């Protein structure tokens, strides 16, 4: 038996020793959860080899701890936040009904993190509830819900994701651009090309990545049509045309190489 296993077993035995012998089932579950969560979210050297076993033990407790995990989403600790996500992902689809109900909570911080968890779990049962919160007043909720729809990959979510490309907040537009690529939403090509001149660099670069993964012929046609003199998307458009490398793309780049704009010539 390795030293790591010995440490992990010792840690689990320690947890068992601090569990109450008496008390109602709810108290027992809560105290066991609290004890395991301290170890699972610990960054201390003492618990280093016990973190993953503790996460596995939490996940093995199943759906009865999902409400406890959701309540912990108010934490300011990034380590605790990631621990909650990891455990929920290990519980998987059985956690989805609890998370879907939590999307209706008043606390926007909790809602955004619940949307994040639903995306990581990837169950299509969450698609419609996530669509319902896409107009949430808290932009982080919009960002996470749109991102989650892309991770889940349900094609019926595409129109709602494309709609978010026009959001007033750059991070939401970025999330929408990423999700368009994951969904293979060719109907978003025109708007993604428009996003190449977005004020937010994250949205611009995410649009580039997604366009490279959509229908090549359609992308080239739309980009060529958008390459007017002085257009702000010229540099990124040239980059995409060069990456795609079709005959039409090369012909367009040769034309751009004769542009009076030195920056356009350089990118072409």
């Amino acid at each position: 038996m390795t030293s790591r296993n010995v440490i992990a077993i010792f840690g689990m035995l320690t947890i068992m020793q601090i569990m109450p012998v008496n008390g109602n089932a709810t108290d027992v579950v809560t105290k066991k959860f609290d004890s395991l969560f301290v170890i699972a979210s610990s960054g201390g050297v003492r618990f280093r080899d016990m973190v993953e076993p503790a996460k596995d033990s939490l996940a093995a407790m199943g759906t009865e701890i999902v409400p406890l995990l959701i309540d912990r989403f108010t934490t300011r600790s990034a380590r605790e936040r990631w621990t909650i996500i990891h455990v929920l992902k290990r519980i998987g689809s059985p956690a989805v009904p609890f998370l879907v109900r939590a999307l209706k909570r008043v606390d926007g911080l909790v809602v955004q993190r619940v949307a994040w968890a639903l995306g990581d779990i990837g169950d299509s049962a969450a698609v419609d509830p996530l669509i319902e919160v896409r107009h949430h007043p808290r932009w982080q909720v919009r960002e996470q819900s749109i991102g989650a729809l892309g991770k889940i990959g349900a094609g019926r979510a595409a129109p709602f994701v494309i709609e978010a490309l026009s959001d007033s907040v750059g991070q939401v537009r970025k999330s929408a651009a990423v999700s368009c690529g994951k969904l293979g939403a060719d109907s978003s090509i025109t708007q993604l090309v428009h996003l190449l001149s977005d004020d937010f660099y994250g949205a611009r670069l995410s649009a580039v990545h997604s366009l490279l993964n959509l229908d090549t012929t359609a992308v080239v046609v739309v980009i060529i049509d958008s390459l007017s003199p002085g257009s702000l998307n010229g540099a990124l458009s040239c980059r995409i045309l060069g990456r795609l490398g079709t005959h039409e793309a090369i012909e367009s780049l040769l034309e751009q190489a004769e542009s009076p704009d030195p920056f356009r010539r350089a990118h072409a």
Side-chain angles (χ1 to χ4, degrees):
M1 181 178 295
T2 66
S3 60
R4 176 172 179 169
N5 288 335
V6 171
I7 294 172
I9 291 172
F10 175 77
M12 295 302 105
L13 289 174
T14 301
I15 293 168
M16 292 174 64
Q17 289 172 356
I18 63 176
M19 291 300 299
V21 176
N22 299 313
N24 62 52
T26 302
D27 289 341
V28 171
V29 169
T30 300
K31 290 180 179 179
K32 182 179 179 182
F33 168 82
D34 289 340
S35 301
L36 284 167
F37 192 83
V38 168
I39 296 175
S41 59
S42 173
V45 175
R46 175 187 175 190
F47 296 122
R48 180 181 60 191
D49 294 320
M50 298 158 57
V51 168
E52 292 305 316
K55 289 180 183 178
D56 288 336
S57 296
L58 283 168
M61 293 177 72
T63 56
E64 62 182 346
I65 68 162
V66 174
L68 299 175
L69 289 167
I70 294 172
D71 288 341
R72 292 269 180 145
F73 262 142
T74 57
T75 180
R76 294 184 177 182
S77 167
R79 187 178 293 276
E80 290 186 358
R81 188 164 65 246
W82 276 106
T83 298
I84 297 167
I85 294 292
H86 292 162
V87 174
L88 286 170
K89 189 173 181 179
R90 294 181 194 193
I91 294 173
S93 294
V96 170
F98 297 89
L99 292 167
V100 165
R101 286 196 291 273
L103 287 175
K104 299 183 183 297
R105 291 200 180 189
V106 175
D107 191 336
L109 178 64
V110 173
V111 176
Q112 78 184 60
R113 292 173 177 175
V114 165
W116 173 14
L118 287 169
D120 278 13
I121 292 172
D123 192 309
S124 60
V127 170
D128 290 334
L130 286 167
I131 289 173
E132 290 178 6
V133 298
R134 73 188 188 282
H135 290 146
H136 197 281
R138 183 179 175 89
W139 69 260
Q140 293 93 337
V141 174
R142 303 198 301 274
E143 175 192 27
Q144 291 295 341
S145 62
I146 293 298
L149 290 170
K151 289 179 182 178
I152 294 172
R156 70 179 186 276
F160 307 101
V161 170
I162 294 171
E163 177 186 65
L165 290 170
S166 301
D167 195 274
S168 61
V169 177
Q171 287 89 338
V172 181
R173 298 195 296 273
K174 172 189 174 182
S175 183
V178 171
S179 290
C180 282
K182 290 181 178 179
L183 293 172
D186 290 330
S187 55
S188 69
I189 290 174
T190 298
Q191 287 178 261
L192 286 174
V193 170
H194 177 73
L195 213 64
L196 296 177
S197 57
D198 195 88
D199 292 337
F200 180 49
Y201 77 97
R204 297 195 300 270
L205 297 183
S206 296
V208 170
H209 180 77
S210 289
L211 285 167
L212 289 171
N213 290 284
L214 297 177
D215 182 79
T216 298
T217 301
V219 169
V220 170
V221 168
V222 175
I223 286 181
I224 291 174
D225 287 345
S226 74
L227 276 172
S228 58
S231 58
L232 296 177
N233 65 357
L236 293 178
S237 293
C238 287
R239 181 192 298 184
I240 295 171
L241 291 175
R243 291 281 299 276
L244 295 178
T246 65
H247 175 75
E248 292 77 10
I250 300 302
E251 287 292 323
S252 178
L253 288 173
L254 289 172
E255 290 180 11
Q256 298 304 314
E258 300 296 328
S259 170
D261 181 349
F263 294 102
R264 180 67 61 85
R265 296 199 302 273
H267 290 295

